[in-house]
Amino acid sequence: MGLQRPVEPFHRPYAGPEPPAPGRRPRRLIAVLAAAAAVAAAVVAAAVLVMTGGREQEAAPRRTPGGSAQPPAVRPSGSPGPREKVVNALPAPCGTVAAGTVERAVPKATRRQSANSTLTTCTYSSTGSAFRWLRVEAHLYAPGDTATPVQDAEGYYDAQWAQAHDAPLVRTVTLERRGGIGDEAYRWFKTDEGQPTVVGQVTARVRNVVLTVSYSEQAPRKGPADARERACLGTATAVAREVLTALSHS
């Protein structure tokens, strides 16, 4: 046998991977977990905002561009609420004005009256002057006859207001809306073109009733006819307030 060659040491060309640098991987993991938590919190907040935002928007008052809050929608007056009392029946035609008031307006008056379920009239006439009289008229829109009694009364009141602007055979001196008399009212002072007469009239609405009070007297023989405007309208207004008080107790 020949001589054997000595076995040379074998060097492995592969070495195992180096371990990671201390602390590098934990910091990356913490950052990833923190980012994931932030995303999850944002998702939860967005979901809460979506669920509650609609309710908050409905509850908050709407505002104008100037920043002032608009009041809530008002219920139409033609649809009375459960607490709003309507008039069910009219009082006696000549039972709404005190005797003393009538005596001051038309001394020693005679009276005529008529009535049905929806209309009453009472006229006080002077025995000494054909031009001096007081008339009270009331129109009722009964809840038993219509589903919208207040709205119907409003429509009749509006029609009377419109007709006063173009009334024949009279000359209008004053025609104006007046607050503080029922729910709405207007006062009208006019002269009769055919007779020497001046008339102060008040038309007012209270809920489902429209009333008209007219007071007439002879026009002044000297001076302008409107010299009696204040007195005539004052008398008609005082009577109208008494009628409204009677209606509030009917």
Side-chain angles (χ1 to χ4, degrees):
M1 295 180 57
L3 295 176
Q4 294 182 352
R5 296 178 61 182
V7 178
E8 297 180 357
F10 177 75
H11 298 282
R12 296 173 60 92
Y14 172 78
E18 296 182 358
R24 180 179 302 174
R25 182 170 299 175
R27 284 199 298 269
R28 288 182 179 178
L29 179 60
I30 292 173
V32 171
L33 292 176
V39 172
V43 171
V44 172
V48 173
L49 181 61
V50 170
M51 290 186 293
T52 62
R55 290 194 296 268
E56 292 177 355
Q57 184 176 5
E58 293 177 358
R62 295 184 179 180
R63 296 182 178 272
T64 61
S68 59
Q70 295 181 350
V74 179
R75 173 188 52 80
S77 58
S79 304
R83 295 185 179 181
E84 184 176 355
K85 180 183 177 182
V86 296
V87 179
N88 293 295
L90 293 172
C94 295
T96 58
V97 185
T101 302
V102 175
E103 180 64 22
R104 287 189 296 271
V106 186
K108 299 179 180 179
T110 59
R111 71 181 190 183
R112 302 188 312 274
Q113 64 181 359
S114 63
N116 57 39
S117 60
T118 60
L119 173 64
T120 62
T121 62
C122 181
T123 303
Y124 302 91
S125 302
S126 173
T127 56
S129 173
F131 305 111
R132 194 166 188 175
W133 47 264
L134 174 67
R135 188 170 190 267
V136 179
E137 178 181 293
H139 288 257
L140 170 68
Y141 290 86
D145 298 334
T146 173
T148 55
V150 176
Q151 185 176 5
D152 292 348
E154 290 175 342
Y156 179 74
Y157 172 88
D158 291 340
Q160 296 301 299
W161 168 253
Q163 291 177 10
H165 288 79
D166 192 24
L169 305 179
V170 299
R171 182 179 71 87
T172 296
V173 178
T174 300
L175 178 60
E176 60 183 4
R177 295 185 184 273
R178 187 63 177 258
I181 307 174
D183 295 327
E184 55 184 338
Y186 67 85
R187 303 204 310 177
W188 186 11
F189 183 70
K190 53 192 173 181
T191 62
D192 193 320
E193 293 184 349
Q195 297 181 2
T197 304
V198 293
V199 179
Q201 176 181 316
V202 173
T203 297
R205 181 187 65 82
V206 56
R207 299 186 294 277
N208 57 319
V209 176
V210 178
L211 66 94
T212 299
V213 175
S214 303
Y215 172 70
S216 171
E217 61 182 38
Q218 187 172 4
R221 296 179 180 179
K222 295 182 180 180
D226 57 1
R228 295 296 299 166
E229 175 181 356
R230 182 175 180 180
C232 289
L233 287 177
T235 298
T237 301
V239 173
R241 293 188 189 281
E242 289 194 18
V243 177
L244 288 171
T245 301
L247 287 172
S248 66
H249 294 90
S250 61

